[in-house]
Amino acid sequence: MTGRSGVARGRDATARGAAQDGGELDLQRYFPYRLARLAEQVSLAVAEVYSERFALTRQEWRVLAILGLRTEIATKEIGPLTTLDKMQVSRAVQGLQSRGIASRKHHPEDRRELIVALTPAGRALYRKIVPFALAREAELLSVLTAEEVKVLDRVMHKLSDALR
């Protein structure tokens, strides 16, 4: 054991994988790029569920998914839970509201803040989409063993915690 942290060892491994010829970067082996590319591929694969079948944008789907687990939520709380910025949240909520999927009301103590909830039609849509989304997730993860899925989950949590 060298006494170095796992994070330091991980950085060394990443540097060896991405660097060639004394510090050049091979983008195809660069961990941040590979992870971003994988995330985009997964996102596009899942988009087939909500975009093609239910005519939702990526942002609308994320807001719908957050609302599906709650009775209501302040719009300012949606962004951190979805990685959407304030404008994306606003547009997604407006899109959902215009289609009768979500409703908005002013916060009783702060009229500047909006509270969003799913309408009955929105709840029905959420219940309709969830089985498709979970099936797509299972399909994506089916190339991994059960142990690999557990390791992937631990690694994702570990990286996320390290970046906070």
Side-chain angles (χ1 to χ4, degrees), residues 2-164:
T2 63
R4 295 186 323 161
S5 75
V7 172
R9 285 192 306 274
R11 281 194 211 116
D12 289 348
T14 301
R16 281 194 305 276
Q20 296 179 351
D21 301 326
E24 292 179 355
L25 183 128
D26 178 353
L27 189 61
Q28 300 305 312
R29 296 175 67 190
Y30 185 57
F31 171 73
Y33 173 74
R34 291 171 56 212
L35 186 60
R37 207 170 131 185
L38 177 61
E40 182 63 16
Q41 288 171 314
V42 168
S43 188
L44 289 172
V46 174
E48 292 172 3
V49 170
Y50 58 78
S51 177
E52 293 175 11
R53 294 181 187 181
F54 301 99
L56 294 170
T57 67
R58 182 184 301 191
Q59 294 80 11
E60 288 170 342
W61 161 242
R62 289 182 185 177
V63 172
L64 178 69
I66 290 298
L67 291 171
L69 295 178
R70 294 164 174 76
T71 54
E72 62 183 27
I73 188 171
T75 54
K76 68 180 177 186
E77 295 176 35
I78 296 172
L81 297 171
T82 59
T83 71
L84 299 175
D85 64 37
K86 190 176 180 179
M87 184 58 71
Q88 290 171 315
V89 169
S90 177
R91 285 188 188 131
V93 169
Q94 285 174 349
L96 294 173
Q97 184 180 18
S98 71
R99 293 173 49 196
I101 296 168
S103 64
R104 294 185 295 184
K105 64 181 180 183
H106 289 283
H107 190 286
E109 296 168 14
D110 183 355
R111 303 265 316 142
R112 295 169 297 175
E113 182 59 53
L114 292 173
I115 304 297
V116 185
L118 290 179
T119 62
R123 286 259 163 238
L125 178 62
Y126 174 77
R127 285 192 301 272
K128 196 172 182 181
I129 293 176
V130 166
F132 290 107
L134 293 175
R136 181 53 55 103
E137 177 189 41
E139 181 184 333
L140 291 169
L141 293 174
S142 70
V143 300
L144 303 175
T145 66
E147 182 58 30
E148 287 171 331
V149 171
K150 289 178 188 174
V151 169
L152 177 61
D153 188 58
R154 284 196 309 268
V155 167
M156 288 172 38
H157 280 289
K158 193 172 190 176
L159 287 171
S160 184
D161 290 347
L163 292 170
R164 283 194 187 116

